[in-house]
Amino acid sequence: MCTVCGCGEGETTIEGHEHHHHHEEGHSHSHADDHGDHNHDYGQGAAHAHAPGLSQSRMVQIEQDILGKNNQYADANRRFFSEHGILALNLVSSPGSGKTTLLTATVRAMLDQTPVAVIEGDQQTALDADRIRESGAKAVQINTGKGCHLDAHMVGHAIGDLKLQRGSALFIENVGNLVCPSAFDLGEAAKVVILSVTEGADKPLKYPDMFHAASLMILNKTDLLPYVDFDVEACCDYARRINPGIKIIQLSATTGEGMDDWLGWIRANLAIAQIGVCSPAKER
């Protein structure tokens, strides 16, 4: 959890906003000066983490405060998406999975039929947002500084800047990290975890929270399978051990193989997002 991982406070910037985004109250990074007589649990307590100067009960309380506030913002985002028939997908992965390449290919394939927008999350630079804009979609970059995830408050700011059309597909490219983004609800319809065949096939077992939270796993860079030692069957088995209901699509964003399955999954969920949208809502 980010209460103990060193996530930077007050370093987030969002394109178009002059002020810095701050984590919510309670996101403490304080450390007690007295490291004397206290127990070192090293993650074996109720918080499943260790931070010098913070008791297990205090860490649990901080986590509950942070996630509770985040969930309020997530609910507001979700209501906006529902009122406007917008499909919001939270794309998560480790760095180097090919997530941005997948996104640019997706944007190019969808833009002629569907309005598409992207929220890009990275610690630094707007390089990925620039790539997305070159593909034809609107994009807003969020730089989290030392922060390791996006939260629902940041996404709410970005939604306002994007001025999303009704019926849009919104892709949220989270910071490359398979740990903390699993805990933060952004108001999305689904988390999509992207794993490439250049990574370890056992990642679902190593990062179970993320694969448990995801509705879909994309196994990317399948064009490289002849050149790498990657056990596809074992990887899929590991993912289903963690999440029996997870859907799995194998594709190569570079060659286009398997992209039809991914685009079909998006369109099916976009159709669901638009069911029950009965009255125009005030534009955000």
Side-chain angles (χ1 to χ4, degrees):
M1 276 297 304
C2 293
T3 50
V4 293
C5 73
C7 186
E9 183 178 8
E11 297 188 4
T12 299
T13 58
I14 303 174
E15 280 184 317
H17 290 257
E18 293 184 356
H19 67 277
H20 291 275
H21 174 91
H22 293 267
H23 284 289
E24 297 308 314
E25 184 178 0
H27 197 160
S28 172
H29 295 265
S30 64
H31 295 269
D33 291 330
D34 181 5
H35 288 251
D37 186 18
H38 65 271
N39 294 325
H40 291 270
D41 48 75
Y42 294 107
Q44 300 305 307
H48 304 291
H50 173 81
L54 291 178
S55 68
Q56 288 290 304
S57 61
R58 178 60 181 145
M59 283 194 289
V60 169
Q61 183 60 53
I62 290 172
E63 289 179 9
Q64 290 175 340
D65 290 346
I66 293 169
L67 294 179
K69 194 68 176 176
N70 179 79
N71 289 344
Q72 292 178 24
Y73 287 114
D75 285 344
N77 294 344
R78 196 177 347 268
R79 177 171 178 171
F80 174 79
F81 298 144
S82 178
E83 289 176 345
H84 292 76
I86 293 168
L87 174 67
L89 299 175
N90 182 2
L91 275 57
V92 293
S93 76
S94 54
S97 68
K99 193 160 66 241
T100 307
T101 299
L102 174 64
L103 263 177
T104 56
T106 303
V107 167
R108 291 191 177 102
M110 293 187 64
L111 262 184
D112 60 340
Q113 297 180 344
T114 305
V116 180
V118 178
I119 296 173
E120 280 287 345
D122 275 311
Q123 287 191 300
Q124 302 289 342
T125 84
L127 295 175
D128 287 348
D130 291 341
R131 289 176 62 187
I132 293 298
R133 293 184 189 111
E134 289 172 1
S135 69
K138 292 193 293 186
V140 167
Q141 180 75 51
I142 300 176
N143 290 130
T144 58
K146 291 183 179 178
C148 57
H149 63 274
L150 298 179
D151 65 31
H153 192 197
M154 302 173 192
V155 170
H157 275 295
I159 292 168
D161 291 343
L162 284 169
K163 303 186 186 312
L164 298 168
Q165 297 180 44
R166 296 170 67 81
S168 293
L170 172 65
F171 298 97
I172 304 167
E173 183 174 358
N174 219 311
V175 178
N177 176 3
L178 283 176
V179 183
C180 300
S182 69
F184 284 81
D185 180 5
L186 305 181
E188 73 273 24
K191 286 182 174 66
V192 178
V193 61
I194 296 127
L195 177 64
S196 71
V197 302
T198 56
E199 304 172 64
D202 55 0
K203 275 202 168 176
L205 298 181
K206 291 181 174 179
Y207 303 94
D209 288 349
M210 183 59 78
F211 288 84
H212 185 267
S215 301
L216 173 67
M217 180 178 89
I218 290 180
L219 191 56
N220 192 20
K221 302 186 183 180
T222 53
D223 55 304
L224 299 180
L225 278 172
Y227 313 105
V228 297
D229 182 16
F230 187 93
D231 190 331
V232 172
E233 184 176 353
C235 181
C236 295
D237 177 62
Y238 295 150
R240 290 188 173 112
R241 286 190 204 177
I242 301 300
N243 182 354
I246 197 168
K247 300 293 185 183
I248 300 173
I249 294 174
Q250 299 180 42
L251 62 78
S252 167
T254 301
T255 67
E257 183 179 7
M259 283 292 290
D260 286 346
D261 287 344
W262 164 232
L263 295 171
W265 186 90
I266 296 170
R267 291 184 179 116
N269 282 276
L270 184 60
I272 292 171
Q274 294 172 1
I275 293 173
V277 180
C278 56
S279 61
K282 185 177 180 181
E283 294 299 328
R284 195 161 179 169

